[in-house]
Amino acid sequence: QKEVEQDPGPLSVPEGAIVSLNCTYSNSAFQYFMWYRQYSRKGPELLMYTYSSGNKEDGRFTAQVDKSSKYISLFIRDSQPSDSATYLCAMANTNAGKSTFGDGTTLTVKP
Amino acid sequence: GAGVSQSPSNKVTEKGKDVELRCDPISGHTALYWYRQSLGQGLEFLIYFQGNSAPDKSGLPSDRFSAERTGGSVSTLTIQRTQQEDSAVYLCASSQTGRGNEKLFFGSGTQLSVL
């Protein structure tokens, strides 16, 4: 079983929709939870970063972490065609030296 | 440099040949990572460097894979006797010190195709 499992997708939504992307994990040592966005033929770029449990909001994006359930989510409000990309969750512990990634969810937002 | 640079961007090789992939991290970043991304898949960790040392090479899939880093900067990932299953995008990332709470900066990757 993988340490990080991500809802596989793909997801296709109309412009303006609310999108929910989700990951579960098994390693209780993870303390840092990240969401990366990857456009086609590019490397991933950090989108959101959360430490421990709680919510973090940045514009149209909200990241949620529930450590008791080992479950994290990324919500995108008022989705735009420019949000079309692959979204990867990633997790690390304090002295990780590496992040562990989910397999990614490909999102398409149709105008 | 301004960002993480990888070369070549594309590499096509024949089965059985050796290949070298290069990564030039952000200047001053002590931590450097290699990941592999197969078609439609997530990032598979290969190896992590702290300076010129590799404290975690647990993700290297076989002894055909090796990597080195010199001068605390440029890293080379070498794949010997390439196989078709080695075809993937090889991504390099760097971070300032390697702690778990740090942002990883990725290059655009090398697309390796083994015929």
Side-chain angles (χ1 to χ4, degrees):
Chain A
Q1 185 184 2
K2 292 183 179 180
E3 277 190 300
V4 179
E5 299 276 1
Q6 184 166 359
D7 288 353
L11 277 179
S12 181
V13 302
E15 185 174 354
I18 297 174
V19 176
S20 171
L21 304 167
N22 307 293
C23 290
T24 59
Y25 64 96
S26 57
N27 187 345
S28 56
F30 288 143
Q31 294 180 295
Y32 303 102
F33 304 92
M34 289 75 72
W35 286 94
Y36 284 80
R37 179 172 61 193
Q38 185 177 24
Y39 290 114
S40 182
R41 303 185 195 281
K42 297 289 187 183
E45 291 180 294
L46 183 67
L47 184 63
M48 295 284 287
Y49 158 82
T50 309
Y51 171 69
S52 196
S53 283
N55 293 0
K56 185 173 184 178
E57 188 173 320
D58 184 1
R60 296 183 295 109
F61 298 88
T62 300
Q64 283 187 352
V65 175
D66 182 348
K67 290 192 73 178
S68 63
S69 302
K70 296 190 177 66
Y71 189 87
I72 74 169
S73 299
L74 177 70
F75 297 96
I76 307 174
R77 292 184 300 280
D78 187 26
S79 55
Q80 302 294 310
S82 58
D83 296 329
S84 298
T86 297
Y87 291 81
L88 298 142
C89 62
M91 307 178 188
N93 55 38
T94 302
N95 299 309
K98 68 183 181 187
S99 293
T100 302
F101 285 80
D103 283 348
T105 301
T106 298
L107 171 68
T108 301
V109 181
K110 298 186 174 180
Chain B
V4 177
S5 178
Q6 290 189 247
S7 61
S9 55
N10 284 283
K11 177 71 177 178
V12 179
T13 190
E14 294 179 350
K15 179 181 171 182
K17 301 274 188 178
D18 298 352
V19 295
E20 284 190 352
L21 312 180
R22 176 188 167 107
C23 173
D24 203 339
I26 292 173
S27 178
H29 281 193
T30 62
L32 185 147
Y33 311 79
W34 284 99
Y35 286 86
R36 178 169 72 174
Q37 187 173 33
S38 301
L39 189 62
Q41 299 294 309
L43 274 64
E44 175 190 4
F45 169 77
L46 298 178
I47 188 169
Y48 156 61
F49 284 93
Q50 181 59 255
N52 293 335
S53 301
D56 188 352
K57 51 180 81 171
S58 62
L60 294 177
S62 76
D63 59 8
R64 295 186 296 104
F65 288 73
S66 62
E68 64 174 12
R69 188 179 184 195
T70 55
S73 181
V74 172
S75 176
T76 302
L77 177 68
T78 301
I79 309 173
Q80 294 178 313
R81 304 181 303 282
T82 51
Q83 303 294 312
Q84 287 183 332
E85 61 262 28
D86 299 334
S87 296
V89 176
Y90 289 80
L91 289 161
C92 175
S94 69
S95 70
Q96 200 152 12
T97 69
R99 289 181 63 82
N101 60 343
E102 285 183 345
K103 176 179 178 178
L104 298 183
F105 293 83
F106 282 88
S108 292
T110 294
Q111 172 74 64
L112 175 66
S113 300
V114 182
L115 304 179

